[in-house]
Amino acid sequence: MNALRVIAAAFRLQLAITRRSPGHLLILLTSPLFSVIFLSLVVSGQRSGTLVNGVLAPGLIGLWLMSLDLAASIIEEERWAGRMELLVASLTPVSLVVFGRIGVVILAGALTFFESWLVAVVGFGADVPLERPGVFAVAILATCFAMAGTATLLAAVFIKSRALHVFQNALTYPFYILGGVLVPVALLPGWLEPVSRVIFLSWSADLLRGSMSGDLPEAWPAWIAMTVGLGTAALVAGVLLINRIIDQSRETAHVGHS
């Protein structure tokens, strides 16, 4: 219950910060442009599967870019605003604050899927299928949770990184391909599948794609379980790592500049 209260407090804090400084939500302005690019390539093909890819890819790309941006900046924002010392002094689990703050922005970023659908329907006059809306809604929530968990782990890794922007750039296009964001994992070379399946995006992308087209296997609940499971594993690892880093900062008295 204490952990839930910390996450809820961080959630409210980020809502207040976002209302005053919505910089992390700029992806909502650029995502429609991604949609125009992808849909321009696929609408003329008149294939529902390709159309689904064109609608989903901008949303997943937008969420992943947002996750990388948050992971790289959220700890630095706490230091710059003078909240880090207060958090450490109050013995509040900083890792849960990070997760709660990230969760707000990721949930807001899910609007990129609606923007992409709107561009397809209004801008291109496309008939976008949504055969399993219930499964689609659950898949969106599972994807957002896994994104937030993964961003928490990346935030911990980025704290110690001396080549932050290099790592950020390296985690973009490879994840779009290995995560099945641009094309289904089944179309990639077979030897890449074991690598792809340890990335939660490969499960959530297939789940979202199948819920829209209606091409879902009977084992689709396992896809949700894998998405949530991989997100949970990343979250646990991120919490442990951030806690360890904060403990070291307390020991060395280098909280603000470590």
Side-chain angles (χ1 to χ4, degrees):
M1 293 301 296
N2 287 335
L4 291 177
R5 281 196 291 268
V6 171
I7 292 173
F11 200 92
R12 293 193 298 270
L13 171 64
Q14 186 60 44
L15 283 176
I17 293 173
T18 301
R19 284 197 299 267
R20 291 169 174 80
S21 181
H24 288 304
L25 299 181
L26 287 177
I27 193 66
L28 296 177
L29 299 179
T30 58
S31 182
L33 301 179
F34 281 114
S35 299
V36 170
I37 294 172
F38 285 109
L39 289 168
S40 296
L41 297 174
V42 304
V43 164
S44 60
Q46 299 297 320
R47 294 173 57 191
S48 59
T50 305
L51 178 61
V52 165
N53 290 341
V55 172
L56 286 179
L60 290 171
I61 288 174
L63 278 182
W64 184 244
L65 287 175
M66 188 178 293
S67 298
L68 291 176
D69 177 53
L70 282 167
S73 64
I74 196 163
I75 295 294
E76 194 59 38
E77 284 183 6
E78 295 289 350
R79 288 171 173 160
W80 179 83
R83 293 188 294 266
M84 180 61 75
E85 291 83 356
L86 296 175
L87 285 172
V88 174
S90 67
L91 301 181
T92 300
V94 177
S95 55
L96 297 182
V97 174
V98 170
F99 176 70
R101 289 189 57 190
I102 287 174
V104 174
V105 182
I106 294 297
L107 287 174
L111 289 173
T112 55
F113 291 101
F114 174 73
E115 289 180 330
S116 185
W117 173 85
L118 200 62
V119 169
V121 173
V122 177
F124 289 85
D127 182 15
V128 182
L130 184 55
E131 300 296 332
R132 303 287 294 275
V135 177
F136 183 82
V138 173
I140 289 290
L141 292 176
T143 300
C144 288
F145 171 79
M147 283 278 185
T150 302
T152 302
L153 174 58
L154 291 176
V157 174
F158 288 163
I159 292 174
K160 293 295 188 180
S161 174
R162 295 183 181 274
L164 177 58
H165 296 296
V166 174
F167 281 112
Q168 278 185 293
N169 292 333
L171 291 173
T172 52
Y173 290 103
F175 271 69
Y176 299 156
I177 296 172
L178 294 175
V181 172
L182 302 176
V183 295
V185 172
L187 299 181
L188 299 178
W191 59 270
L192 279 177
E193 185 168 354
V195 180
S196 297
R197 290 310 182 186
V198 299
I199 300 173
F200 78 91
L201 282 170
S202 66
W203 299 96
S204 61
D206 283 348
L207 185 61
L208 290 166
R209 194 177 290 114
S211 63
M212 291 184 71
S213 65
D215 186 20
L216 279 174
E218 292 184 1
W220 65 264
W223 295 5
I224 294 179
M226 287 300 300
T227 301
V228 174
L230 290 171
T232 301
L235 174 59
V236 170
V239 166
L240 293 175
L241 188 53
I242 290 176
N243 289 346
R244 177 57 180 163
I245 292 171
I246 295 301
D247 287 343
Q248 289 177 342
S249 297
R250 289 193 181 106
E251 292 171 0
T252 58
H254 291 157
V255 175
H257 303 284
S258 58

